[in-house]
Amino acid sequence: MSLRLILVSASLAALAACGAPDPDQADRAPASRPAPAQAGAPVLTVAQIEAGVPQAPAAPGTAAPSSAPAPATAETGAPAPATPPDAGLVRLQILLDRTPFSPGMIDGLAGDNTRQAIAAYRKANNLGSGDAADAALLQHLAAADTARVMTQYVTTAEDVAGPFSPPAAGELADIARTGTNFTSARERLAERFHITEALLQGLNPGVDFRRAGQTIVVPAVTDTPLAGVARIVVDKTERSARAYDAAGKLLAFYPATIGSRERPAPSGTVTVTGVAPEPDYTYDPERVSYDRGDRKVVLPAGPNNPVGTVWIDLSRDTYGIHGSPDPSKIGKTASNGCVRLTNWDAEQLAAGVKPGVVVRFI
């Protein structure tokens, strides 16, 4: 039996409830025409990252360090963000990602997802409270995981071959017609290595990600599946999902997007009923409470499907834990009631669950 059939077809219809694209995602304008890559110095070197220690937060009222305008990127022609990444935070985020106390996307920038992952890791490892990204925390992480945090990768023909889809825009029927694949080889590689496209390009200036045979530097992520998940706690206030084993040990922490004021996530306790890798997404106006038109639309499976690359079905009808087409928004926007993780975090969690696993919403 195909893995995709682990979840019965009746439950697959539940994907209609919470996978609707966020308004700002559904109406994104198409990317601009690709521009040639421009060579230059990388925003950070591998040596800087391998030896990096997070910088102390700037004092209130202190201006953030500035950087020169970034060169045009290889596939969109748009400049990278002006805020320079912190080598120490890149290193810390990679080490957290491998624990796995996920910081979400690796970007080298301070943010709530990284702070919450730090706080969870500290508590789980008896390192005190708080969310400070200091040298002591980094030493603890590095002592437990001595492998290098950066590695090299050579782009392959498969990486660049596609098929690719245009950025999601317009009506659901338009997205169904154009597909839900990655929009570019660079987006595919960024997701594979859990890194933002801006930082991936910044670490590899002059690289045209549309070409095979390019040697690039990337985070040395591991994607180790979880095993033995007995209980999941979804914290709607913290915007996180935590996985525990049968003995109560915290196995993993993930930042999450969880419902909204208009369409809140469930409360109380539910259970996992199954897992659907590479799910379709069905919008059925007879089953949902938000308006995306009056016609039933089925979007094909793909990493930029509204529910991402995997769906963990819950016993509350039409609700689940699932992936996302836009990992940069995890923990920062609302959802239509479900629990949304990055695709790689959702896949890792899905590998460790089975029907009957308890999911508690607090």
Side-chain angles (χ1 to χ4, degrees):
M1 178 182 290
S2 168
L3 285 175
R4 197 160 176 268
L5 298 180
I6 294 175
L7 194 59
V8 296
S9 59
S11 295
L12 281 172
L15 301 186
C18 59
D22 296 329
D24 56 345
Q25 171 198 320
D27 299 327
R28 282 185 304 189
S32 57
R33 176 174 292 182
Q38 295 185 17
V43 294
L44 295 169
T45 67
V46 169
Q48 287 173 321
I49 295 171
E50 293 288 355
V53 175
Q55 298 176 8
T62 302
S66 60
S67 61
T73 59
E75 294 189 3
T76 67
T83 303
D86 178 343
L89 276 177
V90 173
R91 182 184 176 203
L92 178 66
Q93 288 170 342
I94 296 169
L95 289 170
L96 284 169
D97 182 275
R98 297 196 313 214
T99 53
F101 284 67
S102 174
M105 296 198 82
I106 296 164
D107 59 6
L109 304 175
D112 287 343
N113 290 347
T114 297
R115 286 192 290 269
Q116 290 183 168
I118 290 170
Y121 183 85
R122 283 185 177 281
K123 184 175 181 180
N125 290 275
N126 299 314
L127 297 176
S129 60
D131 57 13
D134 58 20
L137 172 67
L138 192 56
Q139 288 171 2
H140 188 278
L141 284 161
D145 182 350
T146 59
R148 294 176 64 85
V149 297
M150 299 297 292
T151 190
Q152 288 188 335
Y153 177 78
V154 179
T155 58
T156 68
E158 183 178 2
D159 292 329
V160 305
F164 299 114
S165 299
E171 300 296 326
L172 291 179
D174 296 331
I175 302 172
R177 185 181 65 256
T178 58
T180 60
N181 301 302
F182 288 121
T183 61
S184 66
R186 188 179 61 197
E187 185 189 18
R188 170 183 282 160
L189 289 163
E191 181 146 321
R192 176 172 180 172
F193 295 105
H194 310 179
I195 189 173
T196 63
E197 288 187 67
L199 183 54
L200 178 63
Q201 187 76 66
L203 295 174
N204 298 278
V207 169
D208 185 344
F209 290 91
R210 297 166 295 185
R211 294 175 51 206
Q214 305 289 296
T215 299
I216 58 176
V217 294
V218 294
V221 294
T222 57
D223 287 319
T224 303
L226 287 187
V229 176
R231 177 170 58 98
I232 299 170
V233 175
V234 177
D235 189 323
K236 292 185 280 188
T237 301
E238 186 184 55
R239 293 177 297 180
S240 69
R242 299 170 187 251
Y244 297 84
D245 66 12
K249 178 184 177 182
L250 179 58
L251 299 175
F253 170 93
Y254 304 112
T257 293
I258 308 167
S260 64
R261 181 175 299 176
E262 296 77 14
R263 304 180 187 95
S267 296
T269 300
V270 297
T271 58
V272 171
T273 62
V275 174
E278 300 181 8
D280 296 335
Y281 164 72
T282 300
Y283 169 76
D284 186 344
E286 296 183 359
R287 289 174 56 83
V288 298
S289 59
Y290 51 86
D291 183 14
R292 293 290 294 174
D294 57 4
R295 297 175 57 188
K296 183 176 180 179
V297 181
V298 179
L299 273 64
N304 284 343
N305 181 298
V307 293
T309 56
V310 69
W311 170 272
I312 301 173
D313 195 54
L314 303 179
S315 56
R316 180 73 60 87
D317 186 37
T318 75
Y319 288 95
I321 302 171
H322 61 82
S324 170
D326 194 342
S328 69
K329 294 182 179 178
I330 295 301
K332 300 178 176 65
T333 57
S335 76
N336 289 291
C338 290
V339 180
R340 187 182 300 168
L341 312 178
T342 66
N343 279 337
W344 57 87
D345 286 344
E347 290 170 8
Q348 184 178 64
L349 178 61
V353 304
K354 59 183 179 181
V357 167
V358 171
V359 180
R360 183 185 175 205
F361 287 82
I362 62 174

